[in-house]
Amino acid sequence: MENEQVTKRLSALRKAMEENKVDYYMITSADCHGSEYVHKHFRARAYFSGFTGSNGTLLVGKKSAALWTDGRYFLQAEEQLAGTGIELMRMEEKGVPEIEEYLQVKLQKGEFLGFDGDCVSAEQGKRLEKICEEKGAAVSFERDLADIAWEYRPARPANPVWELSEEYAGESCGDKLKEVRCILEKEGMDYLFLSSLDDIMWLFNLRGADIACNPVALSYAFVGRDECTLFLQKKAAQGLSLERFGVTIEEYDKVFDWISQKLNKVRGKKVTSPGGYLSHRMRKLLSGKSELILRESPTELLKAIKNETELSCSREAYLKDSAALCKFIYWLKNHVGKEEITEISAADKLEEFRRQISGFLDISFATICGYADNGAIVHYSATEETDRRLTKKGMVLVDSGGQYMGGTTDVTRTIVLGEVSEEEKRIFSLVSAAMLRLAEASFPEGATGRNLDILAREELWKAHLDYRHGTGHGIGYILNVHEGPQRISWQYRKEAKEYALRAGMLISDEPGMYFAGKFGVRTENILEVVKEEENEYGTFLGFRHLTLVPIDKEALDKRFLTSEDAERINRYHKLVREKVLPLLEQEEKEWLLEATKEL
Amino acid sequence: MENEQVTKRLSALRKAMEENKVDYYMITSADCHGSEYVHKHFRARAYFSGFTGSNGTLLVGKKSAALWTDGRYFLQAEEQLAGTGIELMRMEEKGVPEIEEYLQVKLQKGEFLGFDGDCVSAEQGKRLEKICEEKGAAVSFERDLADIAWEYRPARPANPVWELSEEYAGESCGDKLKEVRCILEKEGMDYLFLSSLDDIMWLFNLRGADIACNPVALSYAFVGRDECTLFLQKKAAQGLSLERFGVTIEEYDKVFDWISQKLNKVRGKKVTSPGGYLSHRMRKLLSGKSELILRESPTELLKAIKNETELSCSREAYLKDSAALCKFIYWLKNHVGKEEITEISAADKLEEFRRQISGFLDISFATICGYADNGAIVHYSATEETDRRLTKKGMVLVDSGGQYMGGTTDVTRTIVLGEVSEEEKRIFSLVSAAMLRLAEASFPEGATGRNLDILAREELWKAHLDYRHGTGHGIGYILNVHEGPQRISWQYRKEAKEYALRAGMLISDEPGMYFAGKFGVRTENILEVVKEEENEYGTFLGFRHLTLVPIDKEALDKRFLTSEDAERINRYHKLVREKVLPLLEQEEKEWLLEATKEL
């Protein structure tokens, strides 16, 4: 069945392409800042393709169109692209070309590849220019054709910007600027140009609300050795006290003009900027006016290593957030089958529990609440059409988190609602044991996520199973739920520098298994990297659990666990009991005691 | 106490330096082919420093001298450098500069850094040239000053070269050349220049005897798209039948002239060569005459993935070699304390058992037989001075291997001779369990040794222990005991491309622990990478044990093993029993049954 809405929108886009002499038009998932999640103003790819996942690139030709997305979204994209005529390109599957390889084959001499230069990264833009050059084609990046073809495009957000007090930030903007300048000096750089929003928020101790669930504000920053300019939408940024740190605030939209004028005077100076967040258009501007060096921003690592204030606030926030999830699980298990509960209403109820926590600001991402086979869709987001009623059978996968004055949380539990099959128990046991096994690792300084990942996958791989996503990501502090530079993943990625884990980093630990049409399991804790001991063999690090929520014993089965696995589960449950019990009501307490009993 | 011999030799070298206006002279461990083990003709570093380990670089200044070596050799180097005035630089230890960093600090404007351009790799030579250039210093690589100062230098070897029949090689030289040319064509290269001896031996199905324990012959090869020239010492290479594959044999020493003349005619052609084996002098010559591209040789990966003939011959050779080691262990346990046995005589006895195997050619490296605290010296080699008598107490570490018509073996067992302490049992149990744990892994295609290494180290790291060497290396087929490109090691090495494990590769699995002045433990098996299953999650690989020798139960203690560890040991011992029992004599059989009994 044809998807009329999408085909109509694609026609409008193709008309704009024809008028602008563009043969292929590429629409990414990005905003002007390389954000992972974007405001709906920037959701052109979802508008023109119908695919709403967080990662995807649409390439529209004169007659054909294709969409690239990763393993988390294969099932969802299949469903959403049905009837659109858009071909699904399953990234990293054998025989599936990357978009750049695809263009290398398809582009003909004299053709034009168009995209909005604001919404394509400097790195990708560079590669695309090279491909076009090799093929005798050309890039056209100045016009946002999606904007022309997009009816009723939502307005750009401009929500209030506020300052995070040092009581929560743990370090002043002035001290952070000092650290950054120290690194600039060491590396012989004159300016750092930042367009990644969470880095800017972290550096200036600001928070905003321009992206749902992500407390960031549209902004750019230019940090020099002894001057600093921050670009914000002034109407949304009143009464900030950054002048005391020598920070000048300029209007957000003036950044291009400002750079043109400013850099004209300092031509030849070295500007560094992280190429993954910088837009293609910005790169063209900066590299024409200065010596632009694309490399990781020093702010990414500084931000990732939480200070003592951030750590103690986070521990507290995770404890309260864990208690809220415990309350929810208790409520769910006691109400399912007795009243109407759906995936959406369950997620709402969980949000209600979180709202009761003092300091609650928002949820940290759209809750994934997938019942039964919806649990197999890795980044499932229930819609009115898919919303399913929860019954006393099988399991529901709930991946959720909150933004608090005190931290950003992220946790997944797969919750048993009634009878579960042997296979569900086996997989649930394997996945949960995998999570705890990684969490109990010790490792010397210098070890990276590529070294550690197998601890989560070992038993799954032995069963010749695997999950198609990474095992762990960094997490922000009252900021984005995903941040770098550390991650836990076994695969080599040529574009990503590998970072060693460092004491003070937070990282998720979230193995899973997904069986399309059947069920899905994921168990996710957030871990703090802690220093254990320094001895003649090196400095040994380990993990501390921030997440303290029982792993559902109703699906844990000793037959599928080693004795060490069972001990690890008992140890973890003892910790949960000790920490969370005081935060619960009487009936909840009784449930927790049962839920954390020794296996 | 001064080491007079070394100080006298250093004086002679400094005299040659002065006469040649050289301020620093560097002597590596290499021969002209980047070999790991070298003929004594090339052991200039050992001659001038007294340090005999396999890896070390000596830098002699006008007044000071320093020697860099890795963690395997710290103890040995400390002892051997005592009294020489040479400073020991412990590589990869905190605060210890690499030799190139050291030179960056020390070199002064106008000074000369000298080395023998034949015995420094192209990659290192390039880096040294760059450092000299930055410091306003210069490189002087044309003269081998060690040769001037070296009294009674051993002559260059020229031992007979022989052909390995297809019955053993499994593939003709012609077919191998075809494969290499196919890759050259794909990569747009005109010539492959090879100087790594084992790659040349593999490609032409030749074997030699120019390096002790390594069946290789001094040689170079130049493979073009439709011609091929092999450089050998003709007096040692009579009656070879390589002409039928279009291979021309030229005199070894003529290679420089030949290249000069040949490449003069084909100037501008693309020559590829592996930069780690190519000498600095050869690079200067080649890059002046052609477009030289330094990259891994395709032969390294082709050689590493053994063909069916090589695999089945290797399995057979390992079984026989394992039986020989079993016989030795039985003999040793029954004779120690009753007759005079020393580290050296024990190694000789082990060689005797190996010699009885049909097809025995040689041992594959100098046996490491380290009793008691000598076992803590990772690459210990007993000398007349250090040779210790074995008694009915503690453990002896024996790392040994053989060259057979049918394969190259390498195996380490730590053997209990009498009473062992609690601590020895704990460490022995941890290390042995670590070896088997890695050996039982399954993993998808694409996984590398950096992903797998932690399986061996996990429990050691939990105890905040570690060993300062890699976990696994590739191994040759009737060739060098160490070969690439695969390896198992957790640390990132910027100079080494990471290779995924592939079915048909052989790799060692050899965790250890070493306590200076106390004892050392290492348990090493060689594993074959095998394909297990291809399913929707990928192609899963695993390992097959080639080494089949019991792990000494007298030092295995269940208190230090998980129940899974114990099961793994029992499984392995059952396999050993089934395979090796038929190859033993009656008394040995009884011992093996006892030695492989369930824990």
Side-chain angles (χ1 to χ4, degrees), chain B residues 202-218:
Chain B
W202 172 83
L203 180 58
F204 297 99
N205 286 342
L206 297 178
R207 297 297 185 268
D210 285 342
I211 299 179
C213 305
N214 295 256
V216 296
L218 292 180

Side-chain angles (χ1 to χ4, degrees), chain A residues 329 333 394-395 413-422 424-426 428-430 432-433 436 521 523 549-561 565-566 568-574 576-577 590-599:
Chain A
I329 295 172
K333 284 183 180 265
M395 307 183 288
R413 284 296 180 270
T414 307
I415 304 160
V416 177
L417 299 184
E419 197 192 332
V420 282
S421 68
E422 284 284 289
E424 284 171 312
K425 282 186 185 174
R426 182 174 81 101
F428 185 95
S429 300
L430 279 174
S432 301
L436 287 178
V521 173
T523 305
V549 178
I551 297 164
D552 205 323
K553 276 175 57 189
E554 296 184 61
L556 285 173
D557 191 322
K558 272 189 150 180
R559 286 173 303 156
F560 307 119
L561 297 168
D565 289 335
R568 273 189 281 265
I569 291 167
N570 289 338
R571 265 198 295 278
Y572 177 66
H573 277 164
K574 183 163 175 280
V576 170
R577 197 165 56 235
E590 281 160 26
W591 165 79
L592 187 73
L593 287 171
E594 183 57 38
T596 58
K597 241 190 197 155
E598 285 217 346
L599 282 183

Side-chain angles (χ1 to χ4, degrees), chain B residues 65-69 73-74 77-78 81 86-90 96:
Chain B
L67 182 134
W68 280 258
T69 190
Y73 292 113
F74 290 168
E78 254 170 54
L81 295 182
I86 301 171
E87 189 185 357
L88 172 59
M89 305 299 261
R90 293 174 179 79
V96 176

Side-chain angles (χ1 to χ4, degrees), chain B residues 33 156-163 194 196-197 200-202 204-210 215-222 229-243 247-255 258:
Chain B
H33 302 274
R156 197 174 71 188
N159 294 306
V161 183
W162 50 282
E163 275 179 277
L194 284 177
S196 63
L197 303 182
I200 298 171
M201 296 298 108
W202 172 83
F204 297 99
N205 286 342
L206 297 178
R207 297 297 185 268
D210 285 342
V216 296
L218 292 180
S219 52
Y220 293 101
F222 219 75
T229 310
L230 173 62
F231 299 85
L232 290 167
Q233 298 184 87
K234 283 191 173 174
K235 63 181 173 186
Q238 298 296 315
L240 302 180
S241 61
L242 289 167
E243 260 174 46
V247 178
T248 310
I249 297 180
E250 295 284 350
E251 183 55 44
Y252 177 73
D253 284 313
K254 292 281 191 299
V255 64
W258 188 92

Side-chain angles (χ1 to χ4, degrees), chain A residues 94 437 440-448 450-455 457-468 489-492 498 513-515 532-537 539-541 561-564 568, chain B residues 93-94 437 440-448 450-455 458-468 489-492 498 513-515 532-537 539-541 561-564 568:
Chain A
K94 253 189 196 164
R437 180 128 173 249
E440 289 204 356
S442 290
F443 47 92
E445 259 181 6
T448 75
R450 286 196 63 220
N451 297 131
L452 296 176
D453 185 88
I454 197 172
L455 296 184
R457 286 181 215 260
E458 183 183 10
E459 294 300 320
L460 294 169
W461 281 357
K462 274 190 191 164
H464 295 178
L465 298 170
D466 200 8
Y467 48 95
R468 283 201 189 84
S489 175
W490 67 276
Q491 272 158 320
Y492 173 75
E498 239 181 286
M513 275 306 301
Y514 313 94
F515 300 90
E532 289 180 343
E533 193 195 0
E534 194 171 341
N535 66 18
E536 58 189 302
Y537 301 102
T539 299
F540 286 90
L541 305 175
L561 297 168
T562 67
S563 51
E564 280 74 34
R568 273 189 281 265
Chain B
E93 277 212 342
K94 254 190 197 163
R437 179 127 174 252
E440 289 204 355
S442 289
F443 47 92
E445 260 181 4
T448 74
R450 286 197 62 221
N451 298 132
L452 296 177
D453 184 88
I454 196 173
L455 296 183
E458 184 183 11
E459 294 299 321
L460 293 169
W461 281 356
K462 274 190 190 164
H464 295 178
L465 297 170
D466 200 7
Y467 49 94
R468 284 202 189 84
S489 174
W490 68 275
Q491 271 158 321
Y492 174 76
E498 238 181 287
M513 275 306 301
Y514 312 93
F515 300 90
E532 289 180 343
E533 192 195 1
E534 193 172 340
N535 67 18
E536 59 188 303
Y537 301 102
T539 299
F540 286 90
L541 305 175
L561 298 168
T562 69
S563 50
E564 281 73 35
R568 272 189 281 266

